[in-house]
Amino acid sequence: TMTSFYYSPHELKTSSKMFTWKNKIHKSQGAEPDNLEEQVATALYELQVHNDKLKANLREVHMSSAKEIDNAIVVFVPVPQSGVWQKMIKEKGLIDEMEKKFSGKQVLILTERRIIRKESRNTRQLKQLRPRSRTLTAVHEAILDDLVFPSEITGKRLRVRADGSKLLKVHLPEDNKPPSDRLDTYVRVYKNLTGKDVTFQFV
């Protein structure tokens, strides 16, 4: 005999949410999301359901991973979807909406880019030329562009300190100046992801 089950509307709604947030994160090699990633994916799903300005764009995208760096939640997204994510950041207030859900923390969205190591005599198995977009320099430049978006970098200057260490000075337009605490976050996140020191100047 077949056993039938009754689910209340509340249970159905809860069950639907449990499954649906997983559509907002696709980790490489089928890895399971950690607790932070589940929270971020759930926040994205809730905005997709309830935010009229964001829902259409959010249906088209998913995140790849997330990590917490100091007081910032850094969300990594696939390269092919970067244009949609940036549209939501620039035009539709995605960052503000996400930060409401993670009170006291800043949210940054970066494109997930992988560095292909430089070929050497011992690594001839790479059968095609390494695209410039996958070099260490290009990936680090792209991280910087993503960090300050929607501001645009207008210039850079590399300063070599007396002890031989390097400091990258990045110029941003004065008319789109982020708050100072956000600039501090950019500096810490960039250092964490690249190992490089950066400072920002406004022109």
Side-chain angles (χ1 to χ4, degrees):
T1 59
M2 183 179 294
T3 304
S4 60
F5 296 92
Y6 171 77
Y7 294 96
S8 70
H10 173 73
E11 287 173 317
L12 286 172
K13 185 177 180 181
T14 303
S15 174
S16 172
K17 277 195 172 186
M18 283 174 58
F19 287 103
T20 311
W21 70 260
K22 292 188 175 182
N23 296 331
K24 304 315 299 175
I25 179 166
H26 297 174
K27 289 179 68 73
S28 62
Q29 301 177 339
E32 283 295 313
D34 62 24
N35 183 56
L36 174 66
E37 290 169 334
E38 180 177 337
Q39 291 178 48
V40 176
T42 300
L44 289 171
Y45 170 63
E46 288 173 352
L47 288 175
Q48 178 178 308
V49 172
H50 300 297
N51 188 292
D52 290 336
K53 286 175 66 179
L54 291 166
K55 62 174 55 177
N57 289 124
L58 281 172
R59 288 194 191 105
E60 301 176 29
V61 298
H62 60 264
M63 57 183 277
S64 304
S65 62
K67 66 186 294 188
E68 190 164 352
I69 300 174
D70 290 338
N71 201 41
I73 296 172
V74 183
V75 183
F76 295 94
V77 302
V79 173
Q81 298 177 2
S82 61
V84 181
W85 285 100
Q86 289 192 339
K87 180 179 180 181
M88 289 189 287
I89 292 169
K90 188 173 183 177
E91 300 175 10
K92 300 180 185 294
L94 175 62
I95 297 297
D96 289 343
E97 294 299 329
M98 287 292 287
E99 289 180 350
K100 289 176 188 174
K101 293 181 175 293
F102 295 95
S103 180
K105 296 188 182 296
Q106 295 183 17
V107 176
L108 302 172
I109 295 176
L110 306 182
T111 306
E112 185 175 55
R113 295 177 171 88
R114 300 194 181 279
I115 297 166
I116 297 179
R117 67 188 183 281
K118 190 175 182 180
E119 189 179 44
S120 67
R121 289 181 182 178
N122 298 324
T123 57
R124 295 296 182 191
Q125 70 270 26
L126 298 177
K127 296 180 181 178
Q128 60 186 26
L129 288 174
R130 177 179 59 158
R132 187 192 174 280
S133 63
R134 305 290 289 278
T135 64
L136 181 140
T137 300
V139 169
H140 287 184
E141 287 176 352
I143 290 172
L144 203 50
D145 287 337
D146 285 351
L147 276 175
V148 303
F149 186 85
S151 292
E152 292 187 9
I153 295 171
T154 58
K156 297 175 189 170
R157 195 156 54 91
L158 187 64
R159 176 188 166 199
V160 181
R161 300 187 183 103
D163 62 1
S165 62
K166 297 176 181 178
L167 175 67
L168 181 63
K169 295 185 175 183
V170 175
H171 299 162
L172 297 174
E174 180 74 41
D175 60 356
N176 198 13
K177 188 175 182 179
S180 59
D181 62 331
R182 199 160 189 88
L183 289 173
D184 292 340
T185 299
Y186 295 165
V187 170
R188 292 195 299 271
V189 169
Y190 190 71
K191 176 74 171 182
N192 181 281
L193 295 177
T194 69
K196 295 178 178 178
D197 294 321
V198 66
T199 186
F200 297 96
Q201 299 176 331
F202 296 89
V203 294

